[in-house]
Amino acid sequence: KNQVEQSPQSLIILEGKNCTLQCNYTVSPFSNLRWYKQDTGRGPVSLTIMTFSENTKSNGRYTATLDADTKQSSLHITASQLSDSASYICVVSDRGSTLGRLYFGRGTQLTVWP
Amino acid sequence: EADIYQTPRYLVIGTGKKITLECSQTMGHDKMYWYQQDPGMELHLIHYSYGVNSTEKGDLSSESTVSRIRTEHFPLTLESARPSHTSQYLCASSEGVGVVKTYEQYFGPGTRLTVT
């Protein structure tokens, strides 16, 4: 069964600190992995997309890594800001269907305190 | 920010009412999607469209229906709302469907529906 599991479910950190969010998936055949940021009451916004051949990608203070062999990904946030408070969703796409089916994790709820 | 819009943003309505959630995009994307999301849970695909006059049901069974008469417009309709329909509904669009090439999915801000 194709699944995406994220940990931790929630995380509280102080402003300026770093943190790392984890994503494990069983989606096969794998096409790409995405990290989205979803603010409360808003739609998800893409942070990074990585294909099979990419093992790291950065977007400002966000750095995503991908290990396609172990089917794990992480999202590292550097020097956190209050505006980083949001849900971070890991999404994996398969290449076994014409739809390019997306499998969503439940997200990690990050809270940054001043 | 993506050019994809949803109205209304919030809707509180009584049981049995007919409602239509609007979604429009100005990017000329052929592919459009409707997702349902409950608090703390993953997004579930309920409808998608490859283009004009194309609509398909997604993975999560839904009593809603959709139509695609124009490229930019993908409304979702509930003929008779029930409390079990209370949820957040997210519309998305993409330029293509990624099998060889990766396409971004752009999401609207969502409609928070409450059925009393």
Side-chain angles (χ1 to χ4, degrees), chain B residues 4 13 28 32 42 47 65:
Chain B
I4 181 165
I13 201 163
M32 295 191 73
E42 62 268 47
H47 297 284
T65 59

Side-chain angles (χ1 to χ4, degrees), chain B:
Chain B
E1 189 124 341
D3 296 323
I4 181 165
Y5 310 98
Q6 290 185 245
T7 58
R9 292 293 318 280
Y10 305 92
L11 179 61
V12 180
I13 201 163
T15 297
K17 299 292 185 182
K18 178 181 178 179
I19 59 171
T20 297
L21 307 185
E22 301 288 350
C23 174
S24 60
Q25 50 94 6
T26 59
M27 297 174 282
H29 289 168
D30 285 329
K31 313 301 183 291
M32 295 191 73
Y33 314 83
W34 276 103
Y35 293 91
Q36 186 173 339
Q37 184 183 31
D38 293 321
M41 302 297 287
E42 62 268 47
L43 276 72
H44 290 284
L45 181 68
I46 52 175
H47 297 284
Y48 61 95
S49 168
Y50 285 131
V52 172
N53 295 325
S54 154
T55 62
E56 302 286 346
K57 289 190 178 295
D59 303 312
L60 183 67
S61 176
S62 175
E63 294 167 348
S64 59
T65 59
V66 292
S67 62
R68 191 87 184 276
I69 299 174
R70 303 197 315 267
T71 298
E72 64 271 21
H73 195 213
F74 191 41
L76 180 145
T77 298
L78 277 166
E79 290 293 333
S80 180
R82 295 207 306 257
S84 60
H85 297 140
T86 295
S87 188
Q88 171 141 332
Y89 293 84
L90 290 160
C91 181
S93 73
S94 66
E95 182 182 358
V97 175
V99 176
V100 174
K101 181 179 177 180
T102 300
Y103 292 97
E104 183 61 80
Q105 266 197 30
Y106 298 94
F107 286 85
T111 294
R112 168 66 64 185
L113 173 65
T114 302
V115 184
T116 61

Side-chain angles (χ1 to χ4, degrees), chain A residues 55-103:
Chain A
N55 56 26
T56 187
K57 183 164 280 189
S58 292
N59 178 1
R61 295 180 295 103
Y62 301 103
T63 299
T65 63
L66 172 64
D67 186 332
D69 291 330
T70 62
K71 297 186 177 181
Q72 295 180 325
S73 176
S74 66
L75 180 69
H76 186 74
I77 303 175
T78 303
S80 62
Q81 300 175 358
L82 298 179
S83 60
D84 291 333
S85 294
S87 179
Y88 291 84
I89 304 173
C90 178
V91 184
V92 181
S93 178
D94 76 9
R95 52 181 172 85
S97 69
T98 55
L99 177 62
R101 174 78 165 82
L102 298 184
Y103 296 88

Side-chain angles (χ1 to χ4, degrees), chain A residues 7-24:
Chain A
S7 62
Q9 184 176 357
S10 62
L11 181 63
I12 299 174
I13 63 173
L14 294 177
E15 187 178 14
K17 299 296 185 182
N18 304 333
C19 66
T20 300
L21 314 180
Q22 302 291 341
C23 174
N24 297 333

